[in-house]
Amino acid sequence: MLAHQEELSRRRIYHSFNPQGVGIIAASLLTFGTEEQKRKWAVPLLRAEITASLGMSEPGAGSDLAGLRTRAVLDGDHFVVNGQKVWTSGAHDADVLLTFVRTDPDAPKHKGISVLLIRTDSEGLARRPFASMTGTDDTDFNEVFFTDVAVPRENLIGELNKGWAVANGSLGHERTMLWIGYAERLEDLLRDAPSRAEWYASLLMDLQALRLLGYEQLSGGRNPAEVSVLKLFGSEAVQRATWHALEEHGQDGLMHPARTAPPNHMSHDAFATSWFERYARSFPGTIAGGTSEVHRNIIAERILGLPR
């Protein structure tokens, strides 16, 4: 996967396949699903016959996933789901949602959670896309509402009330996908940044460090928490680089590159934006897949062994 994305980045080919469906949801199904679920859902996802989105975050449960309140009640051979998800990337185009729900409201916070695969054409499910803070046209975020949505019991992924293990696995896949994306963005920034700048060397070292650490982790990292180092480092490296570039370009950094380029010249990047937009877009990177603060806590507790 890393080599594939790196080659696309070198050639400036920007892919539009279903990254969550392939990198997170299919991977989670292969880890936690039954053989029938793998055949029915994972294989079509990997073949790009269907798309999927991840239903984790809620208005009151973002980085604190264990605080989720979307409820699923088992009623015979199906669950009845009520609640809301938000920041659900790609939900408006998805065929199914891997949805984290509370099935035992009396259990401790990290227990009583289950995972359901829910078809987006289910009666009572509504999706509402909304724009990002940059105001661009590539709307990806969604609110998703569940009103008495019936979900077959056979769509339960993993064990009932033991969805926290699935959550950790899914988040691990998500964070791996994210840091690979950060390496791709740093590669892109490296080509566009002025090589005379003092911070250019730091950008180059950040990219190489991220790749080397990532290769080691993908080859069999001993501690799953190590991916938090990659996610934290990658997201903040992108933010540092875009801030330095914005400062370097001054007021021209507020303009789209096509407007500041010489006559009859267009940016070689069809998706080029101003440095200000790139910097603004770096902030979600320090939030998605767990905030920087969450990852610092994970690193402190699970890698360094520090007390809570």
Side-chain angles (χ1 to χ4, degrees), residues 64-66 102 107-113 161-165 308:
D64 181 20
L65 178 62
R102 188 161 297 284
K109 189 176 181 180
H110 288 79
K111 298 184 179 181
I113 294 173
N161 296 324
K162 295 185 179 180
W164 193 247
R308 284 180 175 271

Side-chain angles (χ1 to χ4, degrees), residues 61-166:
S63 295
D64 181 20
L65 178 62
L68 66 86
R69 299 175 63 183
T70 295
R71 183 79 189 279
V73 178
L74 184 58
D75 183 9
D77 61 354
H78 66 276
F79 291 90
V80 179
V81 181
N82 285 278
Q84 178 187 355
K85 297 293 180 180
V86 73
W87 311 112
T88 316
S89 300
H92 58 297
D93 289 326
D95 297 299
V96 293
L97 300 176
L98 188 69
T99 311
F100 289 75
V101 296
R102 188 161 297 284
T103 44
D104 185 353
D106 298 322
K109 189 176 181 180
H110 288 79
K111 298 184 179 181
I113 294 173
S114 299
V115 186
L116 300 175
L117 201 60
I118 305 177
R119 293 188 61 90
T120 56
D121 59 2
S122 300
E123 184 177 356
L125 189 151
R127 295 166 284 177
R128 184 184 299 165
F130 60 92
S132 69
M133 62 177 277
T134 58
T136 54
D137 294 331
D138 56 341
T139 299
D140 187 55
F141 292 135
N142 289 259
E143 294 177 293
V144 183
F145 300 90
F146 305 89
T147 305
D148 294 330
V149 177
V151 182
R153 183 168 182 166
E154 64 190 37
N155 286 22
L156 174 67
I157 309 301
E159 297 183 56
L160 182 67
N161 296 324
K162 295 185 179 180
W164 193 247
V166 183

Side-chain angles (χ1 to χ4, degrees), residues 5-240:
Q5 285 200 236
E6 284 185 331
E7 188 60 25
L8 290 178
S9 178
R10 290 190 189 99
R11 297 176 182 269
R12 289 186 178 266
I13 299 172
Y14 291 82
H15 42 78
S16 58
F17 65 92
N18 181 215
Q20 281 197 351
V22 174
I24 303 174
I25 296 163
S28 298
L29 289 170
L30 292 174
T31 303
F32 299 100
T34 64
E35 291 304 314
E36 173 61 18
Q37 289 169 341
K38 294 174 188 178
R39 182 196 64 79
K40 185 176 180 179
W41 303 108
V43 172
L45 279 168
L46 294 172
R47 289 177 175 170
E49 296 170 352
I50 62 173
T51 59
S53 182
L54 186 64
M56 279 190 168
S57 296
E58 299 183 2
S63 295
D64 181 20
L65 178 62
L68 66 86
R69 299 175 63 183
T70 295
R71 183 79 189 279
V73 178
L74 184 58
D75 183 9
D77 61 354
H78 66 276
F79 291 90
V80 179
V81 181
N82 285 278
Q84 178 187 355
K85 297 293 180 180
V86 73
W87 311 112
T88 316
S89 300
H92 58 297
D93 289 326
D95 297 299
V96 293
L97 300 176
L98 188 69
T99 311
F100 289 75
V101 296
R102 188 161 297 284
T103 44
D104 185 353
D106 298 322
K109 189 176 181 180
H110 288 79
K111 298 184 179 181
I113 294 173
S114 299
V115 186
L116 300 175
L117 201 60
I118 305 177
R119 293 188 61 90
T120 56
D121 59 2
S122 300
E123 184 177 356
L125 189 151
R127 295 166 284 177
R128 184 184 299 165
F130 60 92
S132 69
M133 62 177 277
T134 58
T136 54
D137 294 331
D138 56 341
T139 299
D140 187 55
F141 292 135
N142 289 259
E143 294 177 293
V144 183
F145 300 90
F146 305 89
T147 305
D148 294 330
V149 177
V151 182
R153 183 168 182 166
E154 64 190 37
N155 286 22
L156 174 67
I157 309 301
E159 297 183 56
L160 182 67
N161 296 324
K162 295 185 179 180
W164 193 247
V166 183
N168 283 328
S170 296
L171 286 169
H173 293 308
E174 179 183 25
R175 290 160 183 169
T176 297
M177 184 185 74
L178 286 172
W179 81 254
I180 292 174
Y182 299 138
E184 181 180 350
R185 290 184 66 184
L186 286 171
E187 175 86 30
D188 197 51
L189 290 168
L190 193 63
R191 280 191 293 259
D192 293 342
S195 58
R196 68 184 184 279
E198 293 182 5
W199 50 272
Y200 184 88
S202 295
L203 172 58
L204 179 61
M205 288 187 289
D206 284 346
L207 173 60
Q208 296 304 321
L210 182 62
R211 279 182 173 160
L212 291 173
L213 289 169
Y215 292 150
E216 182 180 4
Q217 201 276 334
L218 286 176
S219 66
R222 293 170 294 177
N223 187 341
E226 290 174 0
V227 75
S228 286
V229 177
L230 296 169
K231 196 275 176 183
L232 175 66
F233 177 57
S235 62
E236 296 197 346
V238 168
Q239 193 166 89
R240 283 195 302 273

Side-chain angles (χ1 to χ4, degrees), residues 199 238-248 275 279 282:
W199 50 272
V238 168
Q239 193 166 89
R240 283 195 302 273
T242 52
W243 170 247
H244 284 309
L246 178 58
E247 282 196 317
E248 181 82 15
W275 284 107
Y279 177 59
S282 73

